Amino acid sequence: MIISTKGRYALRIMLDLANHSGEKVKLKDIASRQEISEKYMEQIIAVLNKAGYVRSTRGARGGYQLVKAPKEYAVGMILRLTEGSLAPVECLSENALSCAREKKCAAVELYQRIYDAVNDVIDTTTLQDLLDIEQEKTKRE
Amino acid sequence: MIISTKGRYALRIMLDLANHSGEKVKLKDIASRQEISEKYMEQIIAVLNKAGYVRSTRGARGGYQLVKAPKEYAVGMILRLTEGSLAPVECLSENALSCAREKKCAAVELYQRIYDAVNDVIDTTTLQDLLDIEQEKTKRE
DNA sequence: TTAATTCCTATTGACTTACTAGGAAATAGA
DNA sequence: TCTATTTCCTAGTAAGTCAATAGGAATTAA
């Protein structure tokens, strides 16, 4: 049960953009700050862009910026977009094909509880919350 | 974020054994009831056996049985044994090597919340709970 | 002695992950 | 208009994981 680099990097990209609101931020700058491969980041931010979570400006002096305020982005939106469903098992995913043992399967109840618990956390935590945590952490240093 | 067949099958094996408490259950019977490859199951039950969660009897008329009562097995024990840590990210696992950005990383707080939520569910649900759910489900059919 | 069963180890095909690579398209500024 | 800068698009790839399959050794009841 793992959140891959795709989702984690997406979160860090969004956080980085949130930390530079108002500016057009170049991918190169995010990459150097976050120490992530620029080329790999391109692919990840492309997804965020297509979904309308960030706005891009092409060409020289171009860059990316957030479309909405940080508190408008639940981390669940970002993780689901980049990772796909965070369901612990396939059969709970949106597009799941029905399972033959569905009717008598006891375990699916357990999986649903796990799923609910995870969804609750990621849907009630926003980018702004992470910003606050970050600030708190650097203050403490 | 997925619980693989290893963990899911382990759960079903344990449930199957729980449904036949007192008997020595042959792998072949579990395999046919659960429609799981017998050879694959061997590998999974071997882990459960080594951990002492089941007791095996070798040779003709041998089989497996649970060591303790179903309510003594939290599903977390079984899943962690077969899946490894259910931490959403590597850095939260037991044996994780320390991360350079640990001190300022805001996201780790999120991951910890997810981890806590998952652990809470799997540590408070036992095999007996699943048995009860199963009974409830078949009664309703 | 035989049949039935668990135990042990190796191999494999398909898939996923985390990139790398190369260049096309767009745009600001000279 | 030209050039440097930046995003956009697509393809490839090495390493690792998953979900088995395979074959046979060891053990035991009858």
Side-chain angles (χ1 to χ4, degrees):
Chain A
M1 175 179 286
I2 272 178
I3 299 175
S4 74
T5 54
K6 231 169 177 178
R8 302 203 306 274
Y9 288 179
L11 234 38
R12 279 164 63 184
I13 290 169
M14 292 294 278
L15 260 179
D16 195 287
L17 290 179
N19 269 317
H20 297 81
S21 66
E23 309 169 38
K24 278 183 210 152
V25 186
K26 285 181 292 183
L27 210 49
K28 201 200 283 189
D29 290 347
I30 306 181
S32 78
R33 272 195 295 266
Q34 300 292 332
E35 297 165 285
I36 299 175
S37 145
E38 196 182 337
K39 277 296 191 182
Y40 189 27
M41 266 194 18
E42 269 185 18
Q43 296 169 36
I44 295 167
I45 206 164
V47 177
L48 297 169
N49 195 13
K50 257 177 212 150
Y53 292 5
V54 303
R55 178 173 42 232
S56 71
T57 313
R58 299 185 66 172
R61 295 245 166 183
Y64 297 93
Q65 43 198 323
L66 289 190
V67 169
K68 297 185 290 184
K71 76 171 193 300
E72 302 298 327
Y73 297 95
V75 298
M77 296 163 56
I78 300 164
L79 289 179
R80 283 193 202 95
L81 182 70
T82 48
E83 294 280 329
S85 165
L86 294 197
V89 294
E90 188 55 35
C91 68
L92 290 182
S93 289
E94 297 307 310
N95 48 2
L97 29 94
S98 73
C99 170
R101 52 182 57 247
E102 197 174 354
K103 285 282 167 54
K104 50 180 174 174
C105 177
V108 75
E109 284 292 323
L110 169 72
Y111 303 140
Q112 185 67 55
R113 285 180 201 174
I114 294 174
Y115 196 22
D116 290 346
V118 170
N119 281 333
D120 183 53
V121 173
I122 67 179
D123 287 331
T124 60
T125 306
T126 71
L127 223 48
Q128 183 63 54
D129 294 328
L130 295 189
L131 278 179
D132 294 345
I133 290 169
E134 197 169 66
Q135 196 138 41
E136 190 61 31
K137 273 192 156 184
T138 44
K139 198 196 293 176
R140 225 179 282 163
E141 275 298 286
Chain B
M1 177 180 283
I2 273 179
I3 300 176
S4 72
T5 54
K6 231 170 178 178
R8 302 203 306 274
Y9 288 180
L11 234 39
R12 279 164 63 185
I13 291 169
M14 293 293 279
L15 260 179
D16 195 288
L17 290 179
N19 269 317
H20 297 81
S21 66
E23 308 169 37
K24 277 183 211 153
V25 186
K26 283 181 292 182
L27 211 47
K28 199 198 285 186
D29 290 346
I30 306 180
S32 77
R33 271 195 295 266
Q34 300 292 330
E35 296 166 286
I36 300 174
S37 145
E38 194 181 337
K39 278 295 191 181
Y40 189 27
M41 265 193 19
E42 272 185 17
Q43 297 168 37
I44 295 166
I45 206 163
V47 177
L48 297 169
N49 195 12
K50 258 177 210 151
Y53 291 5
V54 304
R55 179 174 41 234
S56 71
T57 311
R58 299 185 67 173
R61 295 242 165 186
Y64 297 93
Q65 44 198 323
L66 289 190
V67 169
K68 297 184 292 184
K71 76 171 195 301
E72 302 298 326
Y73 297 95
V75 296
M77 296 165 55
I78 300 164
L79 289 179
R80 283 193 202 95
L81 181 71
T82 48
E83 293 281 330
S85 165
L86 294 197
V89 294
E90 187 56 35
C91 69
L92 289 182
S93 288
E94 297 306 311
N95 49 2
L97 28 94
S98 73
C99 169
R101 51 182 58 245
E102 195 174 357
K103 286 282 168 52
K104 52 181 172 175
C105 177
V108 74
E109 283 293 323
L110 169 72
Y111 303 141
Q112 184 68 55
R113 285 180 202 175
I114 295 174
Y115 195 22
D116 290 346
V118 170
N119 282 332
D120 183 53
V121 173
I122 66 179
D123 287 332
T124 59
T125 306
T126 71
L127 222 49
Q128 183 64 53
D129 294 327
L130 296 189
L131 280 180
D132 294 346
I133 290 168
E134 197 168 67
Q135 196 138 41
E136 190 62 30
K137 273 193 157 184
T138 44
K139 198 196 293 175
R140 224 179 283 162
E141 275 301 285

